[in-house]
Structure formats: C-alpha cells, structure tokens
Coordinates of all heavy atoms in Angstrom, one line a residue:
M1056 N -119.1 -14.4 73.4 CA -118.7 -13.3 72.5 C -117.3 -12.8 72.8 O -116.7 -12.1 72.0 CB -119.7 -12.1 72.7 CG -121.1 -12.4 72.2 SD -121.8 -10.9 71.7 CE -123.5 -11.5 71.4
N1057 N -116.8 -13.1 74.0 CA -115.4 -12.7 74.3 C -114.4 -13.5 73.5 O -113.3 -13.1 73.4 CB -115.2 -13.0 75.8 CG -115.7 -11.9 76.7 OD1 -116.0 -10.8 76.2 ND2 -115.9 -12.1 78.0
K1058 N -114.8 -14.6 72.9 CA -113.9 -15.4 72.2 C -113.5 -14.8 70.8 O -112.5 -15.1 70.3 CB -114.5 -16.8 72.0 CG -114.6 -17.6 73.3 CD -115.1 -19.0 73.0 CE -115.2 -19.7 74.3 NZ -115.6 -21.1 74.1
A1059 N -114.4 -14.0 70.3 CA -114.1 -13.4 69.0 C -112.8 -12.5 68.9 O -112.0 -12.7 68.1 CB -115.3 -12.6 68.5
P1060 N -112.6 -11.6 69.8 CA -111.4 -10.8 69.8 C -110.1 -11.7 70.0 O -109.1 -11.5 69.4 CB -111.5 -9.8 70.9 CG -113.0 -9.7 71.2 CD -113.5 -11.1 70.8
E1061 N -110.3 -12.7 70.9 CA -109.1 -13.6 71.2 C -108.8 -14.4 69.9 O -107.7 -14.6 69.6 CB -109.5 -14.5 72.3 CG -108.3 -15.4 72.8 CD -108.7 -16.2 74.0 OE1 -109.4 -15.7 74.9 OE2 -108.2 -17.4 74.0
A1062 N -109.9 -14.9 69.2 CA -109.7 -15.7 68.0 C -109.0 -14.8 66.9 O -108.2 -15.3 66.2 CB -111.0 -16.2 67.5
K1063 N -109.4 -13.6 66.9 CA -108.8 -12.7 65.9 C -107.3 -12.4 66.2 O -106.5 -12.5 65.3 CB -109.6 -11.3 65.9 CG -109.1 -10.4 64.8 CD -109.9 -9.1 64.8 CE -109.4 -8.2 63.7 NZ -110.1 -7.0 63.6
K1064 N -107.0 -12.3 67.4 CA -105.6 -12.1 67.8 C -104.8 -13.3 67.5 O -103.7 -13.3 67.0 CB -105.4 -11.8 69.3 CG -105.8 -10.4 69.7 CD -105.7 -10.3 71.2 CE -106.2 -8.9 71.7 NZ -106.1 -8.8 73.2
E1065 N -105.3 -14.5 67.7 CA -104.7 -15.8 67.4 C -104.5 -15.9 65.9 O -103.4 -16.4 65.4 CB -105.4 -17.0 67.9 CG -105.4 -17.1 69.4 CD -106.2 -18.2 70.0 OE1 -106.6 -19.1 69.2 OE2 -106.4 -18.3 71.2
A1066 N -105.5 -15.5 65.1 CA -105.4 -15.6 63.7 C -104.3 -14.7 63.1 O -103.5 -15.0 62.2 CB -106.7 -15.3 63.0
I1067 N -104.3 -13.5 63.7 CA -103.2 -12.5 63.3 C -101.9 -13.0 63.6 O -100.9 -13.0 62.8 CB -103.5 -11.1 63.9 CG1 -104.7 -10.5 63.3 CG2 -102.3 -10.2 63.7 CD1 -105.2 -9.2 64.0
S1068 N -101.7 -13.6 64.8 CA -100.4 -14.2 65.2 C -100.0 -15.3 64.3 O -98.9 -15.4 63.9 CB -100.5 -14.6 66.7 OG -99.3 -15.3 67.0
A1069 N -101.0 -16.2 64.0 CA -100.7 -17.3 63.1 C -100.3 -16.8 61.7 O -99.4 -17.4 61.1 CB -101.9 -18.3 63.0
N1070 N -100.9 -15.8 61.3 CA -100.6 -15.2 59.9 C -99.2 -14.6 59.9 O -98.5 -14.9 59.0 CB -101.7 -14.1 59.6 CG -101.6 -13.7 58.2 OD1 -101.1 -14.4 57.3 ND2 -102.0 -12.5 57.9
E1071 N -98.8 -13.9 61.0 CA -97.5 -13.4 61.1 C -96.4 -14.5 61.1 O -95.4 -14.4 60.5 CB -97.4 -12.5 62.3 CG -98.2 -11.2 62.2 CD -97.8 -10.3 61.0 OE1 -96.6 -10.2 60.8 OE2 -98.7 -9.8 60.3
Q1072 N -96.7 -15.5 61.9 CA -95.8 -16.7 62.0 C -95.6 -17.3 60.6 O -94.5 -17.7 60.2 CB -96.3 -17.7 63.0 CG -96.1 -17.2 64.4 CD -96.7 -18.1 65.5 OE1 -97.3 -19.2 65.1 NE2 -96.7 -17.7 66.7
N1073 N -96.7 -17.4 59.9 CA -96.7 -18.0 58.6 C -95.8 -17.2 57.6 O -95.0 -17.7 56.8 CB -98.1 -18.2 58.0 CG -98.1 -19.0 56.8 OD1 -97.4 -20.0 56.6 ND2 -99.0 -18.6 55.8
K1074 N -96.0 -15.9 57.7 CA -95.2 -15.0 56.9 C -93.7 -15.1 57.2 O -92.8 -15.1 56.3 CB -95.6 -13.5 57.1 CG -97.0 -13.2 56.5 CD -97.4 -11.8 56.8 CE -98.8 -11.5 56.3 NZ -99.2 -10.2 56.7
I1075 N -93.4 -15.3 58.5 CA -92.0 -15.5 58.9 C -91.4 -16.8 58.3 O -90.3 -16.8 57.8 CB -91.8 -15.4 60.4 CG1 -92.1 -14.0 60.9 CG2 -90.5 -15.9 60.8 CD1 -92.3 -13.9 62.4
R1076 N -92.2 -17.8 58.4 CA -91.8 -19.1 57.9 C -91.6 -19.1 56.3 O -90.7 -19.7 55.8 CB -92.8 -20.2 58.2 CG -92.8 -20.6 59.7 CD -93.7 -21.7 60.0 NE -93.7 -22.0 61.5 CZ -94.7 -21.7 62.3 NH1 -95.8 -21.3 61.8 NH2 -94.6 -22.0 63.6
I1077 N -92.5 -18.4 55.6 CA -92.4 -18.3 54.2 C -91.1 -17.5 53.9 O -90.4 -17.9 53.0 CB -93.6 -17.6 53.6 CG1 -94.8 -18.5 53.7 CG2 -93.3 -17.1 52.2 CD1 -96.1 -17.8 53.3
K1078 N -90.8 -16.5 54.6 CA -89.6 -15.7 54.4 C -88.3 -16.6 54.6 O -87.4 -16.6 53.8 CB -89.5 -14.5 55.3 CG -88.2 -13.7 55.3 CD -88.2 -12.7 54.2 CE -87.0 -11.8 54.3 NZ -86.1 -11.9 53.2
K1079 N -88.3 -17.4 55.7 CA -87.2 -18.3 56.0 C -87.1 -19.3 54.9 O -85.9 -19.6 54.4 CB -87.4 -19.0 57.3 CG -87.2 -18.0 58.5 CD -87.4 -18.8 59.8 CE -87.2 -17.8 61.0 NZ -87.3 -18.5 62.3
L1080 N -88.2 -19.9 54.4 CA -88.1 -20.9 53.3 C -87.5 -20.3 52.0 O -86.7 -20.9 51.4 CB -89.5 -21.4 53.0 CG -89.6 -22.4 51.9 CD1 -88.8 -23.6 52.1 CD2 -91.1 -22.8 51.7
K1081 N -87.9 -19.0 51.7 CA -87.4 -18.4 50.5 C -85.9 -18.1 50.7 O -85.2 -18.2 49.7 CB -88.2 -17.1 50.2 CG -89.6 -17.4 49.7 CD -90.3 -16.2 49.3 CE -91.6 -16.7 48.7 NZ -92.2 -15.6 47.9
D1082 N -85.5 -17.8 51.9 CA -84.1 -17.6 52.2 C -83.3 -18.9 51.9 O -82.2 -18.9 51.4 CB -83.8 -17.1 53.6 CG -84.3 -15.6 53.7 OD1 -84.5 -14.9 52.7 OD2 -84.4 -15.2 54.9
V1083 N -83.9 -20.0 52.4 CA -83.2 -21.3 52.2 C -83.2 -21.6 50.7 O -82.1 -22.1 50.2 CB -84.0 -22.4 53.0 CG1 -83.5 -23.8 52.5 CG2 -83.8 -22.2 54.5
E1084 N -84.2 -21.3 50.0 CA -84.2 -21.6 48.5 C -83.2 -20.7 47.8 O -82.5 -21.2 46.9 CB -85.6 -21.2 47.9 CG -86.7 -22.2 48.3 CD -88.1 -21.8 47.9 OE1 -88.3 -20.6 47.5 OE2 -88.9 -22.6 47.9
R1085 N -83.0 -19.5 48.3 CA -82.0 -18.6 47.7 C -80.6 -19.2 48.0 O -79.7 -19.2 47.1 CB -82.1 -17.2 48.2 CG -81.2 -16.3 47.6 CD -81.4 -14.8 48.0 NE -80.7 -14.0 47.1 CZ -80.9 -12.7 47.1 NH1 -81.8 -12.1 47.8 NH2 -80.2 -11.9 46.3
E1086 N -80.3 -19.6 49.2 CA -79.1 -20.2 49.6 C -78.8 -21.5 48.7 O -77.7 -21.7 48.3 CB -79.0 -20.6 51.1 CG -79.0 -19.5 52.0 CD -79.1 -19.9 53.5 OE1 -79.0 -21.1 53.8 OE2 -79.2 -19.0 54.3
N1087 N -79.9 -22.2 48.5 CA -79.7 -23.4 47.6 C -79.3 -23.0 46.2 O -78.4 -23.6 45.6 CB -81.1 -24.2 47.6 CG -81.0 -25.4 46.7 OD1 -80.0 -26.1 46.7 ND2 -82.1 -25.7 46.1
N1088 N -79.9 -21.9 45.7 CA -79.5 -21.4 44.4 C -78.1 -21.0 44.3 O -77.4 -21.2 43.3 CB -80.5 -20.3 43.9 CG -81.8 -20.9 43.6 OD1 -82.0 -22.0 43.2 ND2 -82.9 -20.0 43.7
V1089 N -77.6 -20.3 45.4 CA -76.2 -19.8 45.5 C -75.3 -21.0 45.5 O -74.3 -21.1 44.7 CB -76.0 -18.9 46.7 CG1 -74.5 -18.7 46.9 CG2 -76.8 -17.6 46.6
T1090 N -75.6 -22.0 46.2 CA -74.8 -23.2 46.3 C -74.8 -23.9 44.9 O -73.7 -24.4 44.5 CB -75.4 -24.2 47.4 OG1 -75.4 -23.5 48.6 CG2 -74.5 -25.5 47.5
R1091 N -75.9 -24.0 44.3 CA -76.0 -24.6 43.0 C -75.1 -23.9 42.0 O -74.4 -24.5 41.2 CB -77.5 -24.7 42.5 CG -77.6 -25.4 41.2 CD -79.1 -25.5 40.9 NE -79.6 -26.6 41.6 CZ -80.9 -27.0 41.5 NH1 -81.7 -26.4 40.7 NH2 -81.3 -28.0 42.2
H1092 N -75.2 -22.6 42.1 CA -74.3 -21.7 41.2 C -72.9 -22.0 41.5 O -72.1 -22.1 40.5 CB -74.7 -20.2 41.4 CG -73.8 -19.3 40.6 ND1 -74.0 -19.2 39.2 CD2 -72.9 -18.5 40.9 CE1 -73.1 -18.3 38.8 NE2 -72.4 -17.9 39.8
Y1093 N -72.5 -22.1 42.7 CA -71.1 -22.4 43.1 C -70.7 -23.7 42.5 O -69.6 -23.8 41.9 CB -71.0 -22.4 44.6 CG -69.6 -22.9 45.1 CD1 -68.5 -22.1 45.0 CD2 -69.5 -24.2 45.6 CE1 -67.3 -22.6 45.4 CE2 -68.3 -24.7 46.0 CZ -67.1 -23.9 45.9 OH -65.9 -24.3 46.3
F1094 N -71.5 -24.7 42.6 CA -71.1 -26.0 42.1 C -71.1 -26.0 40.6 O -70.2 -26.7 39.9 CB -72.1 -27.1 42.6 CG -71.8 -27.6 43.9 CD1 -72.7 -27.5 45.0 CD2 -70.6 -28.2 44.3 CE1 -72.4 -27.9 46.2 CE2 -70.3 -28.6 45.5 CZ -71.2 -28.5 46.5
D1095 N -71.9 -25.2 40.0 CA -71.9 -25.0 38.5 C -70.5 -24.5 38.1 O -69.9 -25.0 37.2 CB -73.0 -24.1 38.1 CG -73.1 -23.9 36.6 OD1 -72.6 -24.8 35.8 OD2 -73.6 -22.8 36.2
E1096 N -70.1 -23.5 38.8 CA -68.8 -22.9 38.5 C -67.6 -23.9 38.7 O -66.7 -24.0 37.9 CB -68.5 -21.6 39.4 CG -69.5 -20.5 39.1 CD -69.3 -19.9 37.8 OE1 -68.1 -19.7 37.4 OE2 -70.3 -19.6 37.1
V1097 N -67.7 -24.6 39.8 CA -66.6 -25.6 40.1 C -66.6 -26.7 39.0 O -65.6 -27.1 38.4 CB -66.8 -26.3 41.5 CG1 -65.9 -27.5 41.6 CG2 -66.6 -25.2 42.5
L1098 N -67.8 -27.2 38.7 CA -67.9 -28.3 37.7 C -67.5 -27.7 36.3 O -66.9 -28.5 35.5 CB -69.3 -28.9 37.6 CG -69.7 -29.7 38.9 CD1 -71.1 -30.1 38.8 CD2 -68.8 -30.9 39.0
E1099 N -67.9 -26.5 36.0 CA -67.4 -25.9 34.7 C -65.9 -25.9 34.6 O -65.3 -26.2 33.6 CB -68.1 -24.5 34.5 CG -67.8 -23.9 33.2 CD -68.5 -22.6 33.0 OE1 -69.6 -22.4 33.5 OE2 -67.8 -21.7 32.5
Y1100 N -65.3 -25.4 35.7 CA -63.8 -25.4 35.8 C -63.2 -26.8 35.6 O -62.2 -26.9 34.9 CB -63.4 -24.8 37.2 CG -61.9 -24.8 37.3 CD1 -61.1 -23.8 36.7 CD2 -61.3 -25.8 38.1 CE1 -59.8 -23.8 36.9 CE2 -59.9 -25.8 38.3 CZ -59.1 -24.8 37.7 OH -57.8 -24.8 37.8
L1101 N -63.9 -27.8 36.1 CA -63.4 -29.2 35.9 C -63.9 -29.8 34.6 O -63.7 -30.9 34.3 CB -64.0 -30.0 37.1 CG -63.4 -29.6 38.5 CD1 -64.1 -30.5 39.5 CD2 -61.9 -29.8 38.5
D1102 N -64.5 -28.9 33.8 CA -65.0 -29.3 32.4 C -66.1 -30.4 32.5 O -66.2 -31.3 31.7 CB -63.8 -29.8 31.6 CG -64.2 -29.8 30.1 OD1 -65.0 -28.9 29.7 OD2 -63.6 -30.6 29.3
Y1103 N -67.0 -30.2 33.5 CA -68.2 -31.0 33.5 C -69.4 -30.1 33.2 O -69.3 -28.9 33.4 CB -68.4 -31.6 35.0 CG -67.5 -32.7 35.3 CD1 -66.4 -32.5 36.0 CD2 -67.9 -34.0 34.9 CE1 -65.5 -33.6 36.3 CE2 -67.0 -35.1 35.2 CZ -65.9 -34.8 35.9 OH -65.1 -35.9 36.2
N1104 N -70.5 -30.7 32.9 CA -71.7 -29.9 32.6 C -72.8 -30.4 33.5 O -73.1 -31.6 33.7 CB -72.2 -30.3 31.1 CG -73.3 -29.4 30.7 OD1 -74.1 -28.9 31.5 ND2 -73.5 -29.3 29.4
L1105 N -73.4 -29.4 34.2 CA -74.5 -29.7 35.2 C -75.6 -30.5 34.6 O -76.3 -31.2 35.3 CB -75.0 -28.5 35.9 CG -74.1 -28.0 37.0 CD1 -74.7 -26.7 37.6 CD2 -73.9 -29.0 38.1
S1106 N -75.9 -30.3 33.3 CA -77.0 -31.0 32.7 C -76.8 -32.5 32.8 O -77.8 -33.3 32.8 CB -77.2 -30.6 31.3 OG -76.1 -30.9 30.5
E1107 N -75.6 -33.0 32.9 CA -75.3 -34.4 33.1 C -75.8 -34.9 34.4 O -76.1 -36.1 34.6 CB -73.8 -34.6 33.1 CG -73.1 -34.3 31.7 CD -71.6 -34.4 31.8 OE1 -71.1 -35.0 32.8 OE2 -71.0 -33.9 30.9
F1108 N -76.0 -34.0 35.4 CA -76.5 -34.3 36.7 C -77.9 -33.9 36.9 O -78.4 -33.8 38.0 CB -75.6 -33.7 37.8 CG -74.2 -34.1 37.7 CD1 -73.2 -33.3 37.1 CD2 -73.8 -35.3 38.2 CE1 -71.9 -33.6 37.0 CE2 -72.4 -35.7 38.1 CZ -71.5 -34.9 37.5
N1109 N -78.6 -33.4 35.8 CA -79.9 -32.9 35.9 C -80.1 -31.8 36.8 O -81.0 -31.6 37.5 CB -80.9 -34.1 36.3 CG -82.3 -33.7 35.9 OD1 -82.6 -32.9 35.0 ND2 -83.3 -34.3 36.7
M1110 N -79.1 -30.9 36.8 CA -79.1 -29.7 37.6 C -78.7 -28.5 36.8 O -78.0 -27.6 37.2 CB -78.1 -29.8 38.7 CG -78.3 -30.9 39.7 SD -77.0 -31.1 40.9 CE -76.9 -29.5 41.6
D1111 N -79.3 -28.3 35.6 CA -78.9 -27.3 34.7 C -79.7 -26.0 34.8 O -79.8 -25.2 33.9 CB -78.9 -27.8 33.3 CG -80.2 -28.4 32.8 OD1 -81.1 -28.5 33.7 OD2 -80.3 -28.7 31.7
E1112 N -80.3 -25.8 36.0 CA -81.1 -24.6 36.2 C -80.2 -23.3 36.1 O -79.1 -23.3 36.6 CB -81.8 -24.6 37.6 CG -82.6 -23.4 37.9 CD -83.3 -23.5 39.2 OE1 -82.6 -23.7 40.2 OE2 -84.5 -23.5 39.3
N1113 N -80.7 -22.3 35.4 CA -80.0 -21.1 35.3 C -80.1 -20.3 36.6 O -81.2 -19.9 37.0 CB -80.6 -20.3 34.1 CG -79.8 -19.0 33.8 OD1 -79.3 -18.4 34.7 ND2 -79.6 -18.7 32.5
F1114 N -79.0 -20.0 37.2 CA -78.9 -19.3 38.5 C -79.5 -17.9 38.4 O -80.3 -17.5 39.2 CB -77.5 -19.3 39.0 CG -77.4 -18.4 40.2 CD1 -77.8 -18.9 41.4 CD2 -76.8 -17.1 40.1 CE1 -77.7 -18.1 42.6 CE2 -76.7 -16.3 41.3 CZ -77.1 -16.8 42.5
E1115 N -79.1 -17.2 37.4 CA -79.6 -15.8 37.3 C -81.1 -15.7 37.1 O -81.7 -14.9 37.8 CB -78.9 -15.1 36.1 CG -77.4 -14.9 36.2 CD -77.1 -14.1 37.5 OE1 -77.8 -13.1 37.8 OE2 -76.0 -14.4 38.1
E1116 N -81.7 -16.6 36.3 CA -83.2 -16.6 36.2 C -83.8 -16.9 37.5 O -84.8 -16.3 37.9 CB -83.6 -17.6 35.1 CG -83.3 -17.1 33.7 CD -83.7 -18.2 32.7 OE1 -84.3 -19.1 33.0 OE2 -83.3 -18.0 31.5
S1117 N -83.3 -17.9 38.2 CA -84.0 -18.3 39.5 C -83.8 -17.2 40.5 O -84.7 -16.9 41.3 CB -83.4 -19.6 40.0 OG -82.1 -19.5 40.3
N1118 N -82.7 -16.5 40.5 CA -82.4 -15.4 41.4 C -83.4 -14.2 41.1 O -83.9 -13.6 42.1 CB -81.0 -14.9 41.3 CG -80.6 -14.1 42.5 OD1 -81.1 -14.2 43.6 ND2 -79.7 -13.1 42.3
E1119 N -83.6 -13.9 39.9 CA -84.5 -12.8 39.5 C -85.9 -13.2 39.9 O -86.7 -12.4 40.4 CB -84.5 -12.6 38.0 CG -83.2 -11.9 37.6 CD -83.1 -11.8 36.0 OE1 -84.1 -12.0 35.3 OE2 -82.0 -11.4 35.6
E1120 N -86.3 -14.5 39.7 CA -87.6 -15.0 40.1 C -87.8 -14.8 41.6 O -88.8 -14.4 42.1 CB -87.8 -16.4 39.7 CG -89.2 -17.0 40.0 CD -89.3 -18.4 39.6 OE1 -88.7 -18.8 38.6 OE2 -90.1 -19.1 40.2
Y1121 N -86.8 -15.2 42.4 CA -86.8 -15.1 43.8 C -87.1 -13.6 44.2 O -87.9 -13.3 45.1 CB -85.5 -15.6 44.4 CG -85.4 -15.3 45.9 CD1 -86.0 -16.1 46.8 CD2 -84.8 -14.1 46.4 CE1 -85.9 -15.9 48.2 CE2 -84.7 -13.9 47.7 CZ -85.2 -14.7 48.6 OH -85.2 -14.4 50.0
N1122 N -86.3 -12.7 43.6 CA -86.5 -11.3 44.0 C -87.9 -10.8 43.6 O -88.5 -10.0 44.4 CB -85.4 -10.4 43.2 CG -84.1 -10.7 43.8 OD1 -83.9 -11.0 45.0 ND2 -83.0 -10.5 43.0
R1123 N -88.5 -11.2 42.5 CA -89.8 -10.8 42.2 C -90.8 -11.3 43.2 O -91.7 -10.6 43.6 CB -90.2 -11.3 40.8 CG -89.6 -10.5 39.6 CD -90.2 -10.8 38.3 NE -90.1 -12.2 38.0 CZ -89.1 -12.8 37.3 NH1 -88.1 -12.1 36.9 NH2 -89.1 -14.1 37.0
E1124 N -90.7 -12.6 43.6 CA -91.6 -13.2 44.6 C -91.4 -12.5 45.9 O -92.4 -12.3 46.6 CB -91.3 -14.7 44.7 CG -91.7 -15.5 43.5 CD -93.2 -15.5 43.3 OE1 -93.9 -15.5 44.3 OE2 -93.6 -15.4 42.1
E1125 N -90.2 -12.2 46.3 CA -90.0 -11.5 47.6 C -90.6 -10.1 47.5 O -91.2 -9.7 48.5 CB -88.5 -11.3 47.8 CG -88.2 -10.8 49.2 CD -86.7 -10.8 49.5 OE1 -85.9 -10.2 48.7 OE2 -86.3 -11.5 50.5
D1126 N -90.6 -9.4 46.4 CA -91.2 -8.1 46.3 C -92.8 -8.2 46.5 O -93.4 -7.4 47.1 CB -90.9 -7.4 45.0 CG -89.5 -7.0 44.9 OD1 -88.8 -6.9 45.9 OD2 -89.0 -6.7 43.7
K1127 N -93.3 -9.3 45.8 CA -94.8 -9.5 46.0 C -95.1 -9.8 47.4 O -96.1 -9.3 47.9 CB -95.2 -10.8 45.1 CG -95.2 -10.5 43.7 CD -95.7 -11.8 43.0 CE -95.5 -11.7 41.5 NZ -95.8 -13.0 40.9
D1128 N -94.3 -10.6 48.1 CA -94.6 -10.9 49.5 C -94.5 -9.6 50.4 O -95.4 -9.4 51.2 CB -93.6 -11.9 50.1 CG -93.7 -13.3 49.5 OD1 -94.8 -13.5 48.9 OD2 -92.8 -14.1 49.6
D1129 N -93.5 -8.8 50.1 CA -93.4 -7.5 50.9 C -94.6 -6.6 50.6 O -95.2 -6.0 51.6 CB -92.2 -6.8 50.5 CG -90.9 -7.5 51.0 OD1 -91.0 -8.4 51.9 OD2 -89.8 -7.2 50.5
E1130 N -95.1 -6.6 49.4 CA -96.3 -5.8 49.1 C -97.5 -6.3 49.8 O -98.4 -5.6 50.3 CB -96.6 -5.8 47.6 CG -95.6 -5.0 46.8 CD -95.7 -5.1 45.3 OE1 -96.8 -5.7 44.8 OE2 -94.9 -4.6 44.6
E1131 N -97.7 -7.7 49.8 CA -98.8 -8.3 50.5 C -98.8 -8.0 52.0 O -99.8 -7.7 52.6 CB -98.8 -9.8 50.2 CG -100.0 -10.5 50.8 CD -100.0 -12.0 50.5 OE1 -99.5 -12.4 49.5 OE2 -100.6 -12.7 51.4
I1132 N -97.6 -8.1 52.6 CA -97.5 -7.8 54.0 C -97.9 -6.4 54.3 O -98.6 -6.1 55.3 CB -96.0 -8.1 54.5 CG1 -95.8 -9.6 54.5 CG2 -95.8 -7.6 55.9 CD1 -94.3 -10.0 54.7
S1133 N -97.4 -5.5 53.5 CA -97.8 -4.1 53.6 C -99.3 -3.8 53.5 O -99.8 -3.1 54.3 CB -97.1 -3.2 52.6 OG -95.7 -3.3 52.8
R1134 N -99.9 -4.5 52.6 CA -101.4 -4.4 52.5 C -102.1 -4.9 53.7 O -103.1 -4.4 54.1 CB -101.9 -5.1 51.2 CG -101.6 -4.4 49.9 CD -102.4 -5.0 48.8 NE -102.1 -6.4 48.6 CZ -101.3 -6.9 47.7 NH1 -100.6 -6.1 46.9 NH2 -101.1 -8.2 47.7
N1135 N -101.6 -6.0 54.3 CA -102.3 -6.6 55.4 C -102.1 -5.9 56.7 O -102.8 -6.1 57.6 CB -101.9 -8.1 55.5 CG -102.4 -8.9 54.4 OD1 -103.4 -8.6 53.7 ND2 -101.7 -10.0 54.1
D1136 N -101.1 -5.1 56.8 CA -100.8 -4.4 58.0 C -101.6 -3.2 58.2 O -102.3 -2.6 57.5 CB -99.3 -3.9 58.1 CG -98.4 -5.1 58.3 OD1 -98.9 -6.2 58.7 OD2 -97.2 -5.0 58.0

C-alpha cells in the first residue's frame, strides 16, 4: 500500500516533464516557422516563389495556430494544477 503515493508522485512528475517537453517542441516549431518566414522573404526578394520548393505555408496562419494551441496548453495545465 505504500507504493500508491509513490506511484502517484512519479506519475505527476512524468506528467510535468511531458508538459515541459511539449512546450519545448512547440517552441522549436515556432522557431521553424520564423525561419521559414525569413527564407520566404529572402526568396521573394530574389524573385523566387516558395511553392516551387513545396514550402508555401502561410507564416501568419501557422503563428496564429501556434498561439491558439499554446493557450489551450496553458488552460489544461491550470486545470491539472
């Protein structure tokens, strides 16, 4: 019976670590979107089109989607605390 509180602590710790990893992953995704936007600007200046490279994702839309997902994550973390 002593194992139950210990298992609960381990589960909470694993859950917190998972939330941290998800946050880091989303930060990397956001950095990727910023980099993609930068290359879009450079290529546009050089008169290239990103669709030629199959990279025509709209930066603003993906950034808004990221922010919505981040808000959902923050709400979920608040509910679980």
Side-chain angles (χ1 to χ4, degrees):
M1056 293 211 189
N1057 281 341
K1058 293 183 181 182
E1061 186 178 320
K1063 185 176 181 179
K1064 286 181 186 177
E1065 288 177 14
I1067 290 170
S1068 176
N1070 191 25
E1071 291 301 317
Q1072 290 174 0
N1073 190 37
K1074 289 176 186 177
I1075 291 168
R1076 287 185 182 112
I1077 289 170
K1078 173 84 171 119
K1079 287 180 181 180
L1080 178 60
K1081 289 185 178 199
D1082 289 342
V1083 169
E1084 288 173 348
R1085 187 174 191 167
E1086 289 175 11
N1087 182 34
N1088 288 333
V1089 169
T1090 302
R1091 184 175 280 183
H1092 178 70
Y1093 170 77
F1094 281 118
D1095 182 26
E1096 296 292 318
V1097 169
L1098 290 173
E1099 185 177 321
Y1100 176 79
L1101 296 173
D1102 201 29
Y1103 285 97
N1104 187 338
L1105 279 181
S1106 63
E1107 297 172 13
F1108 301 99
N1109 197 26
M1110 295 176 57
D1111 56 354
E1112 180 179 57
N1113 185 323
F1114 172 76
E1115 293 301 323
E1116 287 178 9
S1117 62
N1118 194 32
E1119 289 174 12
E1120 180 180 332
Y1121 170 85
N1122 289 334
R1123 283 192 303 272
E1124 290 295 321
E1125 189 173 58
D1126 291 342
K1127 286 181 191 176
D1128 292 341
D1129 291 343
E1130 289 173 10
E1131 183 177 332
I1132 290 169
S1133 295
R1134 282 193 304 261
N1135 291 335
D1136 288 342

